[in-house]
């Protein structure tokens, strides 16, 4: 199917599974559809199965958006509690269209939970509460994480009841944009997808071991295992002269949950940086100019010790601590972890590169252990000349048997859909759908609103300014945290910055008592360690002062 036809089907309001091989422009079509909806003032939720995937769409993870987080199932009590959270209730009830990108990595149980949440909040028993659902991805790419003994049929989202109920129209894109049609690499990728890799292709991949890559910029290195990534990053860091800066994560709360956070959070518990270190952001913070996956180089450190990063698109960002947390159903923080949201990035895992397009890459597939890893890594490049392949095993060239069968069926269904809907019918359905969504249908109004969107460049309030609006109302920090869907510690951290950026604002309502201020001030004076972590302060105070109170005191010192 051509991109234009897929876009027309999306605009008609039908539930869609948008798929196709790597480089066929799936994300491009989604972005065109999102822009179209925004011009017409139609609410659209943009999500993805993982944080790194969500960054390519300027969205959030489906787990956060739907409110189930790390839960494996939902009870009626869970759903009732979720409805009391204003930040969840508002966007779930208002959404007219939900987009989930990189659907291959979403477990079938999680798609069923999204369906369950929407039917509950919309009070509508139709699939996904009756809203348009758009799933996008390629099941030859990385599969969902499941239990060791789980079979593909127990994991893939296309095996879920929610998928079946949604009556998805399959739009299988066929035009190749990343690689040319007669490109050698494209031929190899097509053979991998067909589970029919030829001896000629294997020879070509072996020859790629001797390719010499350009030296203009150090090529990104891809590995299948974190251990190899960490080893190379440590070696490269040691090559740099200059002083090391150490950042230790500060943790608080239930010990088991803290361990869960340490394993799931992409930021390392111990981070060591130097000037000229190649780094990757591991948190979304669009207000500060970075998202999960943004690459850059450390160019300096502030007087307070915070790293200053110059991103590859030339932005200079002072990187401060972020807080990760696990909350209960009432918003109480059960465990938290504070750390600089960076990790070294001379090397990254194949998992992290999904969705990227790389000019050159040095790839090691010798330890491939999962279907899709080899295909994902190789398909990041435009041609085989810019690939240096240091090794591959048999698994690197294999695809999942169930994914192969499903893909053949998806192609057949896409051809049926392509033939079934003509342009005239789709145009009429498009008008009806936009009207039903309460969107703009008058061409003059659409042009006017479109112009307004283009003119409205950076007028968005930052997350700090939003918090300031609540602080001016003298709202308790706990209440602000609940309203904004943040932890109390994050809000207290905002107060530190706001006191510095807005010295004339009267925020004395939040000033802690003199005794606490004196305690924190004295503890701060005793510290000689060069660190931005709150852990040393907490230790110097004998663990008797909460991190939130330390931040509150620091805001007024």
């Amino acid at each position: 199917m051509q991109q234009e036809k897929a876009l027309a089907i999306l605009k008609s309001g039908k539930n869609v599974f948008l798929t196709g091989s790597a480089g066929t422009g799936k994300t491009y079509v989604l972005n065109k559809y999102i822009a179209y909806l925004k011009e017409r003032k139609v609410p659209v939720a943009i999500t993805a199965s993982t944080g790194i995937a969500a960054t390519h769409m300027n969205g959030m993870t489906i787990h956060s958006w739907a409110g189930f987080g790390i839960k494996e199932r939902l009870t009626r009590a869970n759903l009732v509690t979720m409805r009391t959270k204003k930040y969840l209730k508002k966007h779930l009830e208002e959404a007219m269209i939900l987009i989930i990108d990189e659907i291959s990595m979403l477990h079938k149980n999680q798609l069923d939970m999204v369906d369950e949440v929407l039917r509950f909040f919309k009070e509508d028993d139709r699939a996904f509460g009756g809203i348009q659902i758009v799933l996008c991805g390629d099941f030859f790419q990385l599969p969902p994480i499941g239990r060791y003994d789980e079979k593909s049929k127990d994991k893939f989202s296309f095996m879920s009841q929610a998928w079946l109920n949604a009556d998805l129209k399959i739009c299988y894109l066929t035009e190749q944009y990343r690689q040319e049609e007669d490109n050698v690499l494209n031929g190899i990728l097509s053979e991998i997808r067909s589970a029919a890799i030829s001896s000629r292709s294997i020879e070509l991949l072996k020859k790629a071991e001797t390719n010499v890559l350009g030296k203009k910029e150090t090529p990104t290195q891809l590995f299948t295992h974190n251990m190899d990534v960490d080893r190379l990053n440590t070696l490269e860091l040691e090559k740099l002269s200059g002083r090391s800066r150490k950042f230790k994560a500060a943790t608080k709360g239930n010990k088991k949950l803290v361990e869960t956070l340490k394993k799931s959070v992409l930021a390392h518990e111990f981070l060591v940086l130097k000037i000229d270190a190649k780094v990757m952001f591991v948190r979304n913070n669009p207000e500060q100019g970075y998202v999960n996956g943004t690459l850059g180089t450390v160019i300096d450190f502030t007087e307070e010790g915070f790293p200053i990063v110059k991103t590859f698109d030339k932005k200079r960002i002072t990187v401060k601590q972020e807080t990760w947390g696990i909350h209960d159903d009432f918003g109480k923080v059960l465990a938290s972890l504070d750390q600089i949201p960076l990790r070294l990035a001379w090397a990254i895992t194949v998992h992290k590169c999904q969705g990227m397009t790389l000019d050159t890459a040095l790839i090691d597939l010798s330890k491939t252990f999962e279907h899709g890893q080899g295909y994902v890594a190789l398909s990041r490049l435009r041609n085989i000349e810019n690939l240096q392949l240091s090794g591959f095993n048999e698994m690197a060239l294999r695809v999942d048997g169930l994914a192969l069968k499903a893909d053949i069926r998806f192609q057949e269904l896409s051809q049926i859909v392509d033939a079934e809907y003509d342009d005239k019918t789709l145009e009429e359905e498009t008008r009806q759908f936009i009207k039903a969504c309460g969107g703009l249908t008058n061409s003059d109004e659409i042009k006017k609103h479109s112009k307004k969107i283009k003119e409205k460049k950076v007028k968005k309030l930052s997350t700090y300014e939003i918090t300031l609006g609540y602080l001016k109302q003298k709202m308790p920090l706990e209440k602000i945290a609940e309203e904004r869907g943040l932890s109390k510690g994050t809000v207290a951290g905002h107060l530190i910055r706001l006191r510095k950026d807005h010295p004339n604002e009267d925020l004395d309502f939040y000033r802690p008592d003199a005794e606490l201020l004196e305690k924190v001030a004295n503890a701060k004076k005793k510290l000689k360690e060069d660190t931005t972590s709150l852990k040393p302060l907490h230790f110097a105070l004998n663990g008797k002062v909460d991190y939130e109170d330390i931040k509150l005191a620091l805001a007024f010192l």
Side-chain angles (χ1 to χ4, degrees), residues 66-95:
F68 55 75
I70 60 172
K71 290 185 180 72
E72 293 185 2
R73 65 185 183 86
L74 291 170
T75 64
R76 179 78 181 179
N78 292 150
L79 292 166
V80 170
T81 302
M82 286 163 66
R83 186 174 264 168
T84 65
K85 297 179 180 179
K86 290 182 181 178
Y87 67 94
L88 263 181
K89 183 177 166 66
K90 182 173 167 48
H91 72 241
L92 285 169
E93 290 184 354
E94 287 183 359

Side-chain angles (χ1 to χ4, degrees), residues 45-56:
I46 306 160
T47 73
S49 58
T50 66
I52 190 74
T55 65
H56 302 303

Side-chain angles (χ1 to χ4, degrees), residues 138-158:
D138 175 13
F139 286 97
F140 284 130
Q141 300 204 21
L142 298 177
I145 295 171
R147 295 190 313 271
Y148 177 76
D149 60 342
E150 270 188 327
K151 295 178 181 177
S152 297
K153 67 182 178 66
D154 300 319
K155 295 193 294 185
F156 282 130
S157 58
F158 60 76

